[in-house]
Amino acid sequence: MHYSKEDVEILSRHVSNLDRQVYVVHNVPPEVVSTLFAYVSRSPESFRDNLLKLIKSGDIKAGAGKVDYFRKASEIASGFHKKWVVGFGHFSVAEHAVLNIAIEDVSILLSKIIEDNRLASYTEKSTRYQVFDRNRYYKPKRIMKSKFANDYEETLNKLFDFYNGYFNEMLDFIKGKNPKPKEMQESFYEMKCKSKACDAMRYTLPAATLTNIGATFNARSLVHAIRKMLSNPLEEAQHIGMLLKEEAGKFLPTIIKAAEKSEYIEKTEHAMRELALRIIEKGSENEKKKEFDVKFVDYDASAEDKLVAAMLYRHLHEPFEKVLAKVKKLSRDKKVKVFEEFFKKLTNKDAPLRELEHAYYKVEILVDYGAYRDLQRHRMCTQTSQLLSTKHGFSIPEEMKEFGIANEFSELMKEAKELYEKLAEEMPYEAQYCVPLAYKKRVLYTLNARELYHIIRLRTGKAGHKSYRRIAQKMYLELKKIHPLLAKYFSADLS
């Protein structure tokens, strides 16, 4: 299409080029972008042409201000979304409307609730590279209005006093233990030592510690996230959910109307908890049991054959069932050859081809909450995590033992446990806030072999935290027991 001088002037502000088949659409309100992309399913026109029509629909001039410039286009988008997204539930088009959202001063506990939404991107304030300040923790109204208010503040203040009081001494201890190599830059050395000190001392931080998150959501995922938060039993989650809805409504005024409290989520959470506590017999508190760190609780015993069949399937024209039957008759050497060719060109810059997704594993882990915060980021798998508690003991970093503060740390952990147990009787959800990151929790993962490969490769790396490195290493060793042929081609650092 030939564009007039005025058209070129308008489009140049909103598309990255006027003559190529790939271009970026920018400086356009999110709901307008969503409508523009929705048009492609029925309109033969290009995105540029449809954008131009939307912009010029109000018969405005190219030099108009930003608000008026898209006023009419936004009205058209609003009507479109009211009918198709909110009215008929066609949320797929809402995925093209994207918001970058800053979320500040929320508890670490809530950060995991927010980040439980799979289809979004997050960056969070790091407990590895930043030191957290005293008194910067969340105080739930339900606790602060109860008889436990003073105990809550006193215990959490003690945790922060220990954390801040010993931080510089721990940093000096680590520097003394690890002198700077001559060839290393001073700034890099300081950063590495600080991260080691943060790694050790973060075990003290309670889940109430305030953090910041940068989040990128498409509108569909954001609506779902807000619905979950508004339906969460924690008041903090409901409050932040409402703030998210209000702020997103400034840019997604129509789509965000679908973000309402879900009776299904709210009532089902309550009903499942009641049933779990009533029909599943609890073990004796005095019963001694060995806790495992990693256990493959369920898996497909024939996964290796199915993976070989999946790897070959793409290049054949037979049903999978027949391909699998033929694979099962192959010699081990031929199966090895398939795996070798599939993996041999794979580098650290590559992700394995998607055929690995045809094998699934159900893995249960017991991990300290600090390390869980990192493992939880692997959202391509399905995760179900139990409430944070003090029931499974806590981890003590080696640096605390070497520095000589492990006993004092253990006493603090006992105080936190006593407070948790008092709170949990009346308010099990709010009780989580007082639990330090050192305490362990159980999580159930269902993941495919491709995601398992990614977790093992990334989380066994030397730069990782010791706690989650051990979990990832044990995942690899468990995989090696059940599927040695597959495990042979996984990248794992067992040092």
Side-chain angles (χ1 to χ4, degrees):
M1 178 177 177
H2 176 72
Y3 296 114
S4 68
K5 183 178 179 181
E6 180 188 14
D7 292 346
V8 169
E9 188 177 345
I10 293 173
L11 285 174
S12 296
R13 301 175 184 179
H14 305 292
V15 296
S16 59
N17 68 70
L18 297 178
D19 55 0
R20 303 176 72 181
Q21 67 190 97
V22 177
Y23 46 98
V24 176
V25 178
H26 58 98
N27 295 330
V28 179
E31 283 199 348
V32 176
V33 172
S34 179
T35 304
L36 172 67
F37 279 33
Y39 282 175
V40 74
S41 67
R42 289 174 172 79
S43 171
E45 304 295 331
S46 73
F47 291 107
R48 294 186 189 98
D49 296 345
N50 281 326
L51 177 60
L52 198 58
K53 288 179 182 177
L54 280 169
I55 291 173
K56 298 178 75 173
S57 61
D59 193 26
I60 48 88
K61 294 182 180 180
K66 184 179 179 183
V67 174
D68 291 333
Y69 194 54
F70 278 106
R71 182 183 60 79
K72 187 63 178 179
S74 294
E75 289 176 3
I76 293 172
S78 178
F80 176 90
H81 291 302
K82 185 176 182 180
K83 178 179 179 180
W84 296 104
V85 177
V86 180
F88 287 97
H90 293 325
F91 267 94
S92 59
V93 298
E95 293 180 19
H96 295 296
V98 176
L99 291 184
N100 300 307
I101 305 172
I103 305 170
E104 298 182 345
D105 294 335
V106 295
S107 69
I108 283 177
L109 182 66
L110 181 61
S111 75
K112 296 301 99 183
I113 294 172
I114 295 171
E115 293 166 13
D116 185 54
N117 294 282
R118 180 182 287 148
L119 301 178
S121 301
Y122 312 98
T123 303
E124 185 180 347
K125 182 176 180 179
S126 174
T127 56
R128 172 171 251 188
Y129 300 112
Q130 297 193 54
V131 180
F132 288 72
D133 299 327
R134 190 185 192 274
N135 296 324
R136 299 281 296 153
Y137 60 87
Y138 183 69
K139 299 177 182 180
K141 290 181 182 177
R142 191 173 177 195
I143 292 179
M144 301 314 294
K145 290 179 179 178
S146 74
K147 60 185 177 182
F148 305 114
N150 290 336
D151 292 340
Y152 182 80
E153 287 190 299
E154 183 179 340
T155 302
L156 268 64
N157 286 340
K158 284 184 179 180
L159 291 170
F160 273 97
D161 286 342
F162 181 90
Y163 172 84
N164 293 124
Y166 279 118
F167 186 87
N168 288 332
E169 292 181 54
M170 177 62 76
L171 181 58
D172 291 339
F173 170 75
I174 287 171
K175 287 181 177 179
K177 184 181 173 184
N178 303 278
K180 185 180 84 67
K182 291 182 180 179
E183 68 277 7
M184 186 179 288
Q185 289 186 350
E186 183 68 30
S187 59
F188 185 67
Y189 172 71
E190 289 289 335
M191 183 270 290
K192 283 184 70 70
C193 289
K194 181 181 178 182
S195 71
K196 287 180 180 292
C198 287
D199 275 350
M201 298 305 296
R202 79 176 188 178
Y203 284 78
T204 317
L205 293 171
T209 302
L210 296 181
T211 186
N212 298 333
I213 307 167
T216 300
F217 285 93
N218 69 52
R220 185 182 197 175
S221 295
L222 183 58
V223 166
H224 181 59
I226 293 173
R227 282 171 60 84
K228 286 168 64 179
M229 293 175 71
L230 294 178
S231 311
N232 192 282
L234 289 173
E235 183 186 31
E236 184 189 16
Q238 296 171 24
H239 173 65
I240 297 300
M242 185 56 66
L243 292 182
L244 281 172
K245 182 174 182 177
E246 290 173 2
E247 294 306 307
K250 297 174 182 177
F251 302 89
L252 305 167
T254 308
I255 296 174
I256 211 67
K257 289 178 181 178
E260 299 176 340
K261 178 188 283 191
S262 166
E263 184 178 9
Y264 166 72
I265 296 174
E266 182 183 38
K267 300 298 184 184
T268 303
E269 169 78 10
H270 178 74
M272 290 297 102
R273 180 169 179 81
E274 292 250 312
L275 282 172
L277 297 178
R278 188 167 76 244
I279 69 176
I280 301 297
E281 184 179 353
K282 289 196 285 186
S284 169
E285 292 294 328
N286 298 320
E287 177 186 329
K288 289 189 176 181
K289 53 185 182 295
K290 184 180 179 182
E291 299 270 31
F292 54 83
D293 292 330
V294 175
K295 187 174 183 179
F296 281 53
V297 296
D298 189 27
Y299 59 90
D300 187 345
S302 61
E304 290 176 335
D305 283 344
K306 289 179 180 176
L307 287 175
V308 171
M311 292 168 187
L312 301 176
Y313 178 83
R314 181 200 300 266
H315 308 285
L316 302 169
H317 298 281
E318 296 183 62
F320 180 77
E321 187 177 7
K322 287 188 177 181
V323 178
L324 179 60
K326 292 178 181 180
V327 165
K328 289 181 177 180
K329 295 177 182 178
L330 292 178
S331 67
R332 179 177 175 81
D333 288 345
K334 288 182 179 178
K335 294 176 185 179
V336 168
K337 181 64 175 174
V338 175
F339 274 115
E340 283 180 351
E341 291 299 325
F342 187 86
F343 283 101
K344 75 178 184 181
K345 295 293 185 181
L346 189 66
T347 71
N348 287 336
K349 296 179 181 179
D350 299 308
L353 297 175
R354 292 192 66 179
E355 280 72 22
L356 277 189
E357 295 179 14
H358 289 291
Y360 282 83
Y361 302 87
K362 198 174 298 293
V363 185
E364 187 175 19
I365 66 171
L366 179 69
V367 62
D368 65 74
Y369 193 59
Y372 166 72
R373 293 175 68 250
D374 294 298
L375 294 174
Q376 189 242 13
R377 296 175 186 174
H378 296 274
R379 300 182 310 280
M380 288 302 102
C381 53
T382 298
Q383 303 180 24
T384 301
S385 67
Q386 296 180 349
L387 293 184
L388 182 58
S389 75
T390 59
K391 296 180 181 296
H392 306 293
F394 55 89
S395 300
I396 305 177
E398 291 300 319
E399 291 82 0
M400 283 192 188
K401 296 176 184 177
E402 294 171 7
F403 185 45
I405 58 174
N407 289 338
E408 188 176 346
F409 173 77
S410 296
E411 288 303 312
L412 273 177
M413 294 302 102
K414 290 177 183 176
E415 285 192 45
K417 178 180 175 67
E418 290 171 3
L419 174 61
Y420 167 81
E421 289 174 345
K422 287 189 287 188
L423 290 170
E425 288 185 13
E426 296 183 22
M427 44 189 101
Y429 291 96
E430 287 78 6
Q432 297 175 95
Y433 284 109
C434 75
V435 180
L437 303 192
Y439 272 97
K440 300 176 182 179
K441 70 176 296 181
R442 281 205 184 102
V443 189
L444 184 65
Y445 289 86
T446 299
L447 66 168
N448 60 52
R450 190 173 187 236
E451 182 67 2
L452 184 60
Y453 178 95
H454 173 59
I455 291 175
I456 290 172
R457 179 170 69 174
L458 179 65
R459 298 303 178 184
T460 61
K462 288 187 177 67
H465 192 282
K466 290 179 183 178
S467 185
Y468 67 63
R469 281 195 76 204
R470 282 195 291 267
I471 294 294
Q473 287 168 346
K474 288 181 179 179
M475 282 183 173
Y476 173 75
L477 294 174
E478 290 298 307
L479 176 68
K480 193 174 179 181
K481 291 178 185 176
I482 59 174
H483 290 146
L485 179 57
L486 177 62
K488 177 183 177 182
Y489 300 96
F490 273 42
S491 177
D493 185 340
L494 300 180
S495 61

